[in-house]
Structures are given as C-alpha cells and as structure tokens.
Amino acid sequence: MSNNKKVTASSGNVFADLGFGNPEEELLKAKLVREVRGIIKRPKLTQTKAAVVLGLKQPDVSALVTGPIGKFSIDRLVRCPDRIRATTMSITPA
C-alpha cells in the first residue's frame, strides 16, 4: 500500500494558505488576540475583572479567550494590551 501524501509548503501565513479574503489582517488579529489572552492569564484575571480593565462586556472577553474574534476590529484589539498594561502599572507599588 502506498502512502503518497501531497505536502504543500506554507507561505508563512495560514490565513493566506486557506484562502481568507484579508489574510494579513487576519494574521494581525490572531497575533493581537494571542497577546491579549496571555496578558489576561498572567495576573490570573477573571473574565469579569478583565472586562472592567478592558472596557468591554464580559461576553466580549469570553470571545477573546475562547476564539470567536470576527467581530473585533484591529483598532479595538490594539487598545486591549495598552489598557491592561496601564491598569497594571497604575496599581503596582513603586
């Protein structure tokens, strides 16, 4: 039995490889969401507390954490890490 499988090299952007309409935008959004998820998990923020810090509703934070990010613009995602860092810095003792 032959196991001939076709393997295609990636372009470096999975969204382009899968034929998404705006692959660069999708890749940027994915990277921003990854950063926001990491920031939320670092200080062990609950989704409710993260929503307050981010100025979002808790269901939106849940969407950021669990994956359905289609409704988030790049501008909205860019503001999230800045808001979390600003809040963290303002409550950290000098």
Side-chain angles (χ1 to χ4, degrees), residues 28-29 31-33 35-36 39 54 64 72-85:
L28 178 57
K29 285 171 72 171
K31 288 178 179 181
L32 288 166
V33 168
E35 182 177 352
V36 171
I39 292 169
L54 295 171
L64 282 172
F72 292 96
S73 68
I74 290 176
D75 290 338
R76 192 174 181 198
L77 292 170
V78 166
R79 288 191 299 264
C80 290
D82 291 339
R83 286 181 178 166
I84 291 174
R85 286 189 195 107

Side-chain angles (χ1 to χ4, degrees), residues 1-93:
M1 189 173 283
S2 176
N3 285 334
N4 293 335
K5 296 181 181 179
K6 183 179 176 185
V7 177
T8 304
S10 172
S11 68
N13 182 336
V14 68
F15 300 103
D17 296 342
L18 293 174
F20 279 67
N22 295 312
E24 294 302 321
E25 181 177 320
E26 294 298 328
L27 183 60
L28 178 57
K29 285 171 72 171
K31 288 178 179 181
L32 288 166
V33 168
R34 182 176 178 202
E35 182 177 352
V36 171
R37 286 178 185 158
I39 292 169
I40 290 171
K41 290 179 181 179
R42 257 185 250 140
K44 307 281 190 222
L45 287 175
T46 64
Q47 288 186 9
T48 303
K49 289 178 184 177
V52 171
V53 170
L54 295 171
L56 301 172
K57 295 177 182 174
Q58 186 278 326
D60 289 340
V61 174
S62 179
L64 282 172
V65 172
T66 60
I69 61 167
K71 67 180 182 176
F72 292 96
S73 68
I74 290 176
D75 290 338
R76 192 174 181 198
L77 292 170
V78 166
R79 288 191 299 264
C80 290
D82 291 339
R83 286 181 178 166
I84 291 174
R85 286 189 195 107
T87 302
T88 303
M89 288 188 304
S90 68
I91 60 172
T92 304

